[in-house]
Amino acid sequence: MNIGIVCYPTFGGSGVVATELGKGLAMKGHNIHFITYKEPARLLDTFYENIFYHEVRLNDYPLFDYAPYETALASKLVDVAINAKLDIFHVHYAIPHASAAYMARQILLQKGMNVPVITTLHGTDITLVGRDATYEPVVTYSINQSCGVTAVSESLRQDTFSHFDIKNEIEVIPNFIDFSRFKKTNKEHFKKAIAPNGEKIIVHTSNFRKVKRVEDVIHVFCKVSKQIPAKLLMIGDGPERQYAETLARNLCTVMDVRFLGKQEAVEELLAIADVFLLPSESESFGLAALEAMACEVPVVSSNAGGIPEVNIDGETGFLLNVGDIQGMADKTLSILQDESMLLQFKKNALAQAQKFDISVILPQYEKFYQRIKDGGNCK
Ligand code: GMT
């Protein structure tokens, strides 16, 4: 198939899922056309024969305080669909991709071309941003007008039905992991450099937005490190980083906490981790937790949104209520102080992550594409 993928070209979240999906589909022989404003971060590693990148350019004009990205994207989708003979548009993150694709589809229909739109909902497009009255009517309309809709967890599917007036069906196709990249590797030399005295290593990865509650990570870690020797690696960057750094300086031993910023090779850091912390306020799936689990790292997390579909309480880690800092610290300590529990949880984390292997999930997308193309409500 010739597939047009629209996404945010970011380091994490929906952008990564969309890019890895495109790469996986290309490996299976599909022609993939990424259409976005910047080359997706995970495409920069190498050249792919049947992956194409189409940049959405915005022409500046003095009248525009805000350049109309959605219009430029819709026009680009029309152009790519015609020239690359696209069979399908697959847009990731509803805002503004679903409505831009809807517009492109209408234009193409007038030209005698039927290109179905599939929208994948990722999280904040539903639970946070999309619900706001600023966007809600357009989000509802474009989900209802999509030829196929998927959500990355059952929890997100249910949230979508409860926050919006949705007439369409929503299929759950969970996020996935590529084990050729995310796997435990021996990084003993690196571990020694970070934790020279055998300290336990705790890791957190996120975009440091409010919803991630990075301050809870610091609070939990500082409680833990008062009981046992430990180090914390904070990976990623975003609006809350400064606050988290100040908090760490005030509450912990400064040398025990390292802020590493955005990292390309997260898997190398996960390879030396003992516990991964994810105390998010809301999380439709928690891809970062899955990446940790694939590297055999138990997860102590909140029980928000779709996290319980990934992290299994008492098996692959622990789930606690949002904001339960003491609970998270106690559970982290219980794993780190009990070698046999740590070992068992590591094994369980890997086994659970294997259920989300890309080789299991990718065919679900292929089947879904075919179904929508052949018999969906946009036939
Ligand atoms: O986590 C973010 O803020 C980024 C956001 C995105 O769309 O890029 O992530 C969402 O999508 C990810 C991929 O499907 C999910 O793993 C995250 O749980 C989800 N984030 C939230 O729901 C907060």
Side-chain angles (χ1 to χ4, degrees):
M1 272 193 210
N2 297 325
I3 303 162
I5 294 185
V6 180
C7 64
Y8 285 101
T10 47
F11 256 85
S14 57
V16 160
V17 172
T19 315
E20 294 298 335
L21 174 64
K23 283 157 73 171
L25 289 165
M27 298 267 283
K28 294 184 93 176
H30 299 283
N31 294 314
I32 305 300
H33 295 261
F34 283 99
I35 304 145
T36 183
Y37 57 84
K38 202 167 115 195
E39 185 144 13
R42 290 246 181 127
L43 268 195
L44 298 170
D45 53 354
T46 179
F47 169 75
Y48 301 88
E49 202 184 319
N50 47 344
I51 295 186
F52 306 86
Y53 164 59
H54 307 269
E55 187 161 305
V56 180
R57 293 235 173 83
L58 293 174
N59 288 340
D60 209 8
Y61 185 67
L63 179 67
F64 300 148
D65 273 344
Y66 306 99
Y69 178 67
E70 194 173 332
T71 306
L73 173 61
S75 298
K76 191 57 142 186
L77 290 177
V78 170
D79 175 64
V80 176
I82 292 170
N83 289 300
K85 301 191 171 39
L86 292 187
D87 294 301
I88 217 151
F89 291 128
H90 186 180
V91 306
H92 292 259
Y93 205 90
I95 310 165
H97 302 149
S99 44
Y102 167 75
M103 170 67 93
R105 175 172 158 74
Q106 296 311 309
I107 296 168
L108 288 163
L109 279 173
Q110 285 224 323
K111 294 177 187 288
M113 209 176 155
N114 183 358
V115 186
V117 174
I118 291 175
T119 300
T120 289
L121 309 172
H122 276 274
T124 47
D125 46 352
I126 295 302
T127 54
L128 211 65
V129 196
R131 293 172 68 178
D132 192 281
T134 322
Y135 303 112
E136 182 278 322
V138 175
V139 172
T140 304
Y141 186 76
S142 49
I143 292 175
N144 281 328
Q145 292 298 319
S146 294
C147 305
V149 184
T150 75
V152 298
S153 64
E154 181 54 37
S155 150
L156 183 60
R157 178 178 176 274
Q158 281 167 20
D159 278 347
T160 311
F161 284 120
S162 48
H163 299 324
F164 302 87
D165 183 15
I166 298 301
K167 310 278 184 243
N168 227 336
E169 282 174 20
I170 302 177
E171 173 131 338
V172 175
I173 303 185
N175 287 333
F176 51 84
I177 192 88
D178 181 355
F179 278 91
S180 67
R181 175 173 172 192
F182 287 92
K183 58 177 181 245
K184 184 145 183 82
T185 48
N186 189 347
K187 296 275 167 206
E188 273 314 306
H189 58 291
F190 182 36
K191 189 163 188 156
K192 265 229 131 28
I194 299 285
N197 304 308
E199 296 92 338
K200 296 293 184 194
I201 300 178
I202 297 175
V203 171
H204 169 79
T205 317
S206 76
N207 50 26
F208 285 55
R209 298 202 188 117
K210 265 232 159 317
V211 72
K212 303 293 175 181
R213 294 185 68 102
V214 282
E215 71 277 18
D216 288 10
V217 176
I218 305 296
H219 281 293
V220 170
F221 175 75
C222 294
K223 284 180 184 294
V224 169
S225 64
K226 289 200 167 68
Q227 303 294 322
I228 58 168
K231 300 281 181 187
L232 173 65
L233 302 181
M234 296 289 280
I235 307 167
D237 212 336
E240 298 298 303
R241 176 171 169 177
Q242 189 56 55
Y243 172 54
E245 284 202 42
T246 309
L247 200 63
R249 263 182 235 128
N250 292 337
L251 293 181
C252 300
T253 306
V254 179
M255 295 305 286
D256 288 343
V257 185
R258 285 191 187 209
F259 286 82
L260 303 176
K262 289 180 183 162
Q263 294 286 323
E264 290 280 356
V266 184
E267 65 279 12
E268 293 190 7
L269 295 158
L270 290 171
I272 63 165
D274 294 299
V275 163
F276 186 83
L277 286 179
L278 191 68
S280 306
E281 176 92 40
S282 123
E283 199 74 67
S284 69
F285 184 88
L287 185 61
L290 179 59
E291 290 177 346
M293 288 161 62
C295 296
E296 300 177 36
V297 185
V299 174
V300 174
S301 67
S302 70
N303 53 11
I307 302 179
E309 294 171 50
V310 180
N311 183 25
I312 310 300
D313 191 44
E315 263 183 46
T316 62
F318 289 104
L319 294 163
L320 293 119
N321 289 334
V322 173
D324 184 358
I325 289 165
Q326 190 58 53
M328 290 185 195
D330 291 344
K331 291 300 186 189
T332 304
L333 276 166
S334 73
I335 301 177
L336 294 179
Q337 288 177 314
D338 180 343
E339 243 353 272
S340 73
M341 186 194 280
L342 178 58
L343 227 86
Q344 189 57 51
F345 275 32
K346 278 173 184 269
K347 275 192 197 147
N348 296 348
L350 175 61
Q352 168 71 356
Q354 279 163 344
K355 296 181 187 159
F356 300 91
D357 190 328
I358 187 166
S359 66
V360 176
I361 307 298
L362 205 120
Q364 297 181 27
Y365 273 114
E366 283 181 295
K367 245 191 229 153
F368 192 70
Y369 291 165
Q370 202 58 55
R371 199 170 92 213
I372 296 303
K373 224 174 104 46
D374 293 346
N377 45 3
C378 294
K379 198 168 177 230

